[in-house]
Amino acid sequence: MDQEKAYFISDLHLGAQWIADNRAHELAIAEWIRSLAGKASALYILGDAIDYWYEYRTVVPRGFVRFFAAIASLTDAGTPVYWLKGNHDIWIFDYLPREIGVKVIDGPLHTRILGHTFYLEHGDLSGEPRPSYRRMQRIFRNPTAQRLFAAIHPRWTVGFAHRWSSHSRRNGKEASDRLSDNDQLITFAKNYLAMHPDTEYFVFGHRHVVVDNDIAPGCRLVILGEGFRLMTYGVFDGNSFEIHKIKQH
């Protein structure tokens, strides 16, 4: 039955300056989310849904109305939506959980889905070996640094964040759709599996490629791709995990 399927998506990067038509992109994502009504047991968003998001105490950032409305239509109907923070939407606090009903997870989620054990995470914490990156993430998560950042007027912080994102994308290395045995994610998953042998699926985003690796008997590692060019997402029906594409008009 359709309602016995869980859906997974990551790296939509809504609002990114390097997406040619942000309105069409948001509409396509919102339409796909609305299509899950009545057939999804849950939706898991594995980070970087928005290219930049910072919640202020009394001010709502501009945009993403159709995306948020589509999610709210699911949660209002009783379908749980889990949003695992990525490195671009790290500054979700209490507004989105309160207003649209998402369950926000800061870090990994080890959980049971349709009778099977999953480890879910954006992928930057487990799969990023650079010490400089880890230091930056600690700063971004530091409450004092967050308060100082919030004190700067958005006319400077928003533009700075989008320029950073564009620069990072231009200078990023092309990720491979095949993971080597010494890849950081493979190493992490095998070490984690040794301590949690019941884990059957590791699901990540972040790298913008589709990967499906068997890492041990009865255990798979999946990278979901992304939702701005490939337009891919994952579906689990209790027996198999498959990667599908969002149909675009």
Side-chain angles (χ1 to χ4, degrees), residues 26-108:
E26 183 182 1
L27 287 172
I29 295 298
E31 181 179 351
W32 174 76
I33 292 172
R34 288 195 299 269
S35 77
L36 304 183
K39 68 179 185 180
S41 62
L43 170 62
Y44 296 86
I45 302 171
L46 270 67
D48 287 4
I50 300 174
D51 195 59
Y52 170 68
W53 178 262
Y54 193 97
E55 286 183 15
Y56 296 89
R57 189 180 299 275
T58 57
V59 178
V60 179
R62 183 174 177 173
F64 318 113
V65 174
R66 292 164 185 81
F67 172 65
F68 291 149
I71 292 178
S73 70
L74 282 187
T75 59
D76 287 349
T79 301
V81 176
Y82 300 86
W83 189 327
L84 283 70
K85 293 183 182 181
N87 52 303
H88 284 254
D89 46 20
I90 194 172
W91 292 310
I92 298 172
F93 301 121
D94 64 343
Y95 173 74
L96 293 183
R98 212 173 50 238
E99 292 297 319
I100 64 174
V102 294
K103 304 175 189 296
V104 175
I105 313 294
D106 188 2

Side-chain angles (χ1 to χ4, degrees), residues 102-172:
V102 294
K103 304 175 189 296
V104 175
I105 313 294
D106 188 2
L109 178 62
H110 185 107
T111 188
R112 297 281 290 178
I113 300 175
L114 300 178
H116 296 262
T117 305
F118 280 70
Y119 178 96
L120 310 177
E121 195 236 293
H122 178 57
D124 61 323
L125 299 178
S126 301
E128 176 54 71
R130 292 175 296 172
S132 59
Y133 183 92
R134 294 182 176 274
R135 286 194 296 270
M136 181 179 67
Q137 289 298 302
R138 285 196 294 270
I139 293 171
F140 285 169
R141 283 181 161 84
N142 181 276
T144 300
Q146 291 172 351
R147 285 193 295 271
L148 291 172
F149 187 83
I152 304 172
H153 196 284
R155 71 163 62 99
W156 292 294
T157 58
V158 172
F160 170 78
H162 282 301
R163 286 192 297 273
W164 183 306
S165 171
S166 298
H167 179 269
S168 175
R169 178 163 172 79
R170 285 194 303 269
N171 290 279

